[in-house]
Amino acid sequence: MPSIKTAYHALANDIFEHKSQIPNFHDAVEFHRPLDAVRTSAETSEKIVLDK
C-alpha cells in the first residue's frame, strides 16, 4: 500500500514535471460512468450502452 509520502511525491512530480501519474478529475468521471449506467439500468430496467 502506498504511503502518504509516496502520494505527495507523485503529486509533486505531476505538478513540477507536467506529468500525470495520479488519477485526476477526468479519470474519476470516466471511472464513474459505468457505475452510473448500472444504477440507471437498475432503476429503469433498461439496457444502457456506453460509448467506448
Side-chain angles (χ1 to χ4, degrees):
M1 182 172 184
S3 68
I4 297 295
K5 179 181 176 182
T6 304
Y8 277 116
H9 183 70
L11 176 61
N13 282 342
D14 281 0
I15 292 169
F16 293 119
E17 297 177 12
H18 304 289
K19 295 182 180 178
S20 183
Q21 298 176 15
I22 59 174
N24 58 30
F25 182 78
H26 175 76
D27 296 326
V29 170
E30 290 301 311
F31 178 79
H32 281 274
R33 286 184 70 231
L35 298 176
D36 291 338
V38 168
R39 184 179 301 115
T40 301
S41 179
E43 291 172 352
T44 63
S45 299
E46 294 182 10
K47 181 178 178 179
I48 306 293
V49 178
L50 297 175
D51 297 331
K52 291 185 178 185

